[in-house]
Amino acid sequence: MSKKIKYLFECYLTKKIGVEIKCCLMFFLILCFYCIYRWITNFNQASILHMLEMVLLAYLIGWIQNLLHYDFDEVDALRLREWVSVILSSLVYAVAGHFGGWFEGNIVVCICFGLYMVCAYLCSYLIYKIKRTIDAKHLNEDLQRFQNRLKDEV
C-alpha cells in the first residue's frame, strides 16, 4: 500500500472513529432523556423505531459536523461557529423529537429536550477539553523523560 493511500485511510479512520464515539455518546444521552420521559409518564416500554431514528439522527449530525469541521469538542474555546453548531444541532434533535413523536407531540417536553441537548453538548465539550489537557500533560511528561534519557545516554 502506498504511503499516500495509507495516510488517507488513516485520516478517514480517525474521522470515522471520532464520529462513531460522538454518535454513541449523543444516542446514549438522547436515550436517557427519552427513557426518563417514558418512565415519568408511566410508560414501561420504549419504541425501537424511535431508538432507530435517534441513533440514525445522531450519526447523521455527527458526520455533518465532522464534514463541515464543526468539531466543537476539539476546540480550545467555544466561539460563534461552535455555538451555532451546538444550537442548530440541539434544535434539529428537538424538532425531530417533536415530529418523530418521541414525546407524544408535547412541545414543552421537546423544548426541554432541546435545552437538555445544549447542556449535553456543553458537558461533552468540557469533558473532551479536560481529557485533552490531561493527554497533553502526559505527552509533555513523556517527552521530557525521553529527552532526559537522551541526555543521559550522550
Side-chain angles (χ1 to χ4, degrees):
M1 186 181 325
S2 75
K3 287 183 181 183
K4 184 175 182 175
I5 292 173
K6 182 179 176 185
Y7 173 77
L8 291 174
F9 178 72
E10 288 172 347
C11 288
Y12 167 75
L13 196 57
T14 300
K15 285 185 177 285
K16 180 152 178 55
I17 290 169
V19 169
E20 294 290 338
I21 290 169
K22 284 185 233 177
C23 173
C24 291
L25 175 63
M26 288 298 123
F27 173 63
F28 177 74
L29 292 168
I30 295 167
L31 190 60
C32 281
F33 188 93
Y34 176 72
C35 288
I36 289 170
Y37 167 78
R38 301 291 290 179
W39 178 65
I40 288 172
T41 56
N42 292 320
F43 288 103
N44 294 328
Q45 298 173 350
S47 169
I48 291 177
L49 180 58
H50 287 167
M51 287 186 245
L52 178 63
E53 292 168 353
M54 292 170 190
V55 75
L56 290 176
L57 185 60
Y59 197 73
L60 177 67
I61 288 175
W63 269 111
I64 289 171
Q65 287 175 337
N66 189 286
L67 294 173
L68 295 176
H69 303 291
Y70 284 107
D71 298 329
F72 70 93
D73 55 325
E74 296 178 11
V75 296
D76 291 325
L78 290 176
R79 294 182 184 87
L80 180 62
R81 179 181 174 136
E82 290 78 27
W83 277 106
V84 168
S85 176
V86 166
I87 291 170
L88 282 178
S89 299
S90 299
L91 183 63
V92 168
Y93 283 121
V95 169
H98 177 70
F99 288 112
W102 301 350
F103 309 109
E104 285 77 42
N106 187 329
I107 293 178
V108 173
V109 174
C110 290
I111 291 170
C112 290
F113 176 60
L115 295 173
Y116 166 82
M117 290 306 297
V118 169
C119 291
Y121 273 111
L122 295 178
C123 288
S124 299
Y125 162 75
L126 290 173
I127 289 166
Y128 276 107
K129 185 174 182 174
I130 291 167
K131 182 189 179 313
R132 279 194 320 275
T133 302
I134 293 168
D135 288 347
K137 178 184 166 203
H138 287 223
L139 283 171
N140 286 331
E141 289 170 356
D142 288 345
L143 177 62
Q144 187 65 40
R145 281 193 298 273
F146 178 74
Q147 288 172 338
N148 289 340
R149 196 172 343 128
L150 284 178
K151 285 180 186 176
D152 291 343
E153 290 177 1
V154 174

